[in-house]
Amino acid sequence: MKPAPFEFVRPASLAEALEVLAANPDAKVLAGGQSLIPLLSMRLAAPGMLVDINGIGELSYVRSDREGVRVGALARHAEVEGDARAREVQPLLGLALRQVAHPTIRNRGTTVGSVVHADGSAEIPVVLALLNGRVAVASSSGRRDIAAADLFLGPMESSLKHDEIAVEAFFPAIEHDAGVAFDEVARRNGDYALCGVAAHVRVSGGRIVSVRTGYLSVCDVPTVVDLTAAFPDGVVTPAALDDAGDLAVAALDPVSDIHASAVYRCRLVRTLTRRVVVAAHEHAMSRVGAEVS
Amino acid sequence: MTEPLHDVRLSVNGVVHQVAVPARRLLSDALRHDLRLTGTHVGCEHGVCGSCTVLVDGRPMRSCLMLAVSASDYEITTVEGLADEDGSLGPVQQAFKECHGLQCGFCTPGFLTTITAGLEENPSPTAEEAREMIAGNLCRCTGYQNIVASVLRAAELKAPQP
């Protein structure tokens, strides 16, 4: 349970880190390490070199404005979770962060690291996908943005190239007519969820105009489903919620593992979809109501 | 082949140490093997059990999920640093003693550090909040009842006397 030997560099600037990364195809970036170090210790990963970016202070920030929340690569989950402005600009981020492992892990783990680790059972990739967010990545040849829809290729596989570092994640602000909610079921507090669902609902004139949900721990990759068709009358009824569950299950391909069968996951999908759609709808109505009065 | 060593400054419980360690040395192993501070225990070594929890700039973190070479910028507090200056038990330690918050004691260092930081953040937790505070630490002996009682007792001991 000890990592295999590796070379270690701790650059003081992003430019230096990118140079080292470009010159060493077998290098891996270390930020919070709360996923990477267990992988090294269990020898599921054995990179030849680690590039520790913890010394690059310029990457440690959480900035919020009317457009959304920008999270730098070194911002710890706990910092983002504790940022009052970020919670206001996009409440879904804080709701989901509370469910990421334990507070002790959130003190070290980074939000951007969680995005690019691309674990299908992690909360933050689902939030980024549901909100149509993006990551900014840098390499020695420049910068580019990757939309969430183009980011998650497979289990723990992102579309970043080996010489790229994700320097920032962007979570768009909640729209004035939208509500959000998050819920998950895990065997123990802080464990990986057996199923987790995030919801985003928009209303207009008191009626639902859009319902989208994102799922973690159900498929290999974070998966977003549009459930608007289940609400043709624009209202939440028991029948519409049943239809939403049917639509969700039809769009997903739940996996069986030692923690839960696919059949059980389907039940969780239905139950949690119902809960978060109801909660996000209430949230949207309360926000629109507050706006009117 | 011998592995290259890195010179690392580790500031632990107010004392600065200079160690030479391979890059792959986990902070937990550096504390135990290089500094001989064996109060920090290593259970699962992949972040699940919480036994190795230390305070990094006052915040609880898993020492098995940090490399020693990444730890030089921080002030680290281990269980050895939780006693009062005169060597008597700190409030959380005292509470564990009074409430029988431990049996075999293996998990105890991680609980003590986690609760020390937890009470800084929330000085008067409810029983439910106490449970939440320790949810990231595993104990196989006590069934947690006495550890929850210890959290509440430690909060009493730490509270300013009227």
Side-chain angles (χ1 to χ4, degrees):
Chain A
M1 296 293 283
K2 309 291 179 194
F6 49 80
E7 276 186 75
F8 179 84
V9 283
R10 190 180 165 90
S13 72
L14 181 60
E16 194 190 325
L18 294 172
E19 232 170 81
V20 174
L21 211 50
N24 295 278
D26 193 21
K28 187 96 186 132
V29 175
L30 171 68
Q34 303 300 282
S35 297
L36 178 58
I37 293 185
L39 290 178
L40 299 180
S41 285
M42 291 187 261
R43 302 215 177 184
L44 295 170
M49 174 185 277
L50 283 193
V51 181
D52 179 356
I53 61 169
N54 284 285
I56 309 173
E58 67 189 273
L59 296 178
S60 181
Y61 61 85
V62 183
R63 291 184 197 126
S64 306
D65 59 23
R66 287 168 61 182
E67 280 180 27
V69 182
R70 289 178 166 77
V71 179
L74 272 189
R76 315 289 165 180
H77 290 307
E79 288 169 53
V80 186
E81 187 189 352
D83 191 297
R85 181 85 178 112
R87 280 204 302 270
E88 189 186 318
V89 168
Q90 182 44 266
L92 184 58
L93 193 48
L95 294 177
L97 277 165
R98 259 183 257 155
Q99 305 280 351
V100 175
H102 299 287
T104 306
I105 301 296
R106 300 202 291 272
N107 282 339
R108 185 72 184 161
T110 65
T111 301
V112 172
S114 175
V115 168
V116 294
H117 186 54
D119 188 339
S121 44
E123 289 80 3
I124 302 305
V126 167
V127 169
L128 193 82
L130 181 66
L131 298 175
N132 289 318
R134 57 181 187 262
V135 290
V137 303
S139 72
S140 50
S141 48
R143 282 171 81 107
R144 64 175 180 134
D145 283 341
I146 307 177
D150 303 321
L151 186 62
F152 305 111
L153 302 182
M156 299 198 190
E157 187 186 357
S158 80
S159 54
L160 261 73
K161 300 191 183 99
H162 85 85
D163 62 340
E164 289 179 321
I165 295 178
V167 290
E168 181 184 283
F170 174 69
F171 299 88
I174 189 168
E175 302 86 349
H176 72 96
D177 57 0
V180 290
F182 189 94
D183 200 0
E184 67 178 41
V185 170
R187 286 199 181 268
R188 287 163 295 266
N189 175 319
D191 264 15
Y192 282 112
L194 299 175
C195 173
V197 190
H200 180 269
V201 172
R202 293 184 81 163
V203 296
S204 174
R207 302 207 161 245
I208 292 171
V209 293
S210 163
V211 178
R212 293 165 65 252
T213 44
Y215 297 84
L216 58 110
S217 291
V218 178
C219 306
D220 283 343
V221 292
T223 309
V224 175
V225 183
D226 192 322
L227 302 179
T228 312
F231 301 87
D233 302 326
V235 289
V236 173
T237 61
L241 289 170
D242 282 345
D243 289 349
D246 288 343
L247 264 184
V249 167
L252 299 163
D253 185 15
V255 289
S256 282
D257 58 28
I258 59 165
H259 305 295
S261 65
V263 172
Y264 180 54
R265 282 206 160 87
C266 283
R267 300 186 78 128
L268 291 177
V269 164
R270 286 177 195 278
T271 303
L272 288 171
T273 298
R274 177 182 287 266
R275 277 187 208 163
V276 292
V277 168
V278 167
H281 176 249
E282 280 172 11
H283 185 219
M285 294 302 274
S286 73
R287 294 184 72 241
V288 171
E291 206 173 52
V292 171
S293 56
Chain B
M1 190 193 97
T2 54
E3 270 182 85
L5 300 180
H6 298 255
D7 289 319
V8 181
R9 170 193 175 277
L10 289 177
S11 180
V12 183
N13 304 327
V15 180
V16 175
H17 305 263
Q18 210 52 56
V19 294
V21 295
R24 60 172 164 160
R25 179 84 89 235
L26 301 171
L27 176 59
S28 45
D29 287 341
L31 293 169
R32 291 177 54 82
H33 302 175
D34 297 285
L35 303 185
R36 297 278 163 190
L37 292 170
T38 53
T40 299
H41 289 175
V42 175
C44 72
E45 218 166 33
H46 60 275
V48 173
C49 78
S51 289
C52 71
T53 306
V54 299
L55 304 182
V56 177
D57 287 343
R59 314 195 72 165
M61 294 186 191
R62 302 280 198 251
S63 62
C64 78
L65 297 189
M66 282 179 74
L67 299 173
V69 283
S70 294
S72 49
D73 293 341
Y74 307 111
E75 178 54 48
I76 294 157
T77 308
T78 66
V79 69
E80 288 93 343
L82 297 185
D84 286 336
E85 277 177 22
D86 61 2
S88 61
L89 297 179
V92 183
Q93 295 170 316
Q94 182 64 36
F96 266 66
K97 185 180 170 188
E98 289 178 20
C99 301
H100 303 284
L102 64 144
Q103 288 182 30
C104 87
F106 189 88
C107 66
T108 310
F111 275 96
L112 295 176
T113 47
T114 303
I115 294 164
T116 297
L119 290 176
E120 288 297 315
E121 209 168 285
N122 180 2
S124 49
T126 62
E128 198 180 329
E129 287 166 345
R131 235 164 229 289
E132 174 79 25
M133 194 183 287
I134 59 170
N137 293 64
L138 298 181
C139 170
R140 305 284 78 163
C141 302
T142 63
Y144 302 103
Q145 304 294 340
N146 287 352
I147 301 181
V148 172
S150 302
V151 175
L152 301 177
R153 176 65 182 139
E156 280 175 13
L157 290 172
K158 276 174 72 98
Q161 300 304 316

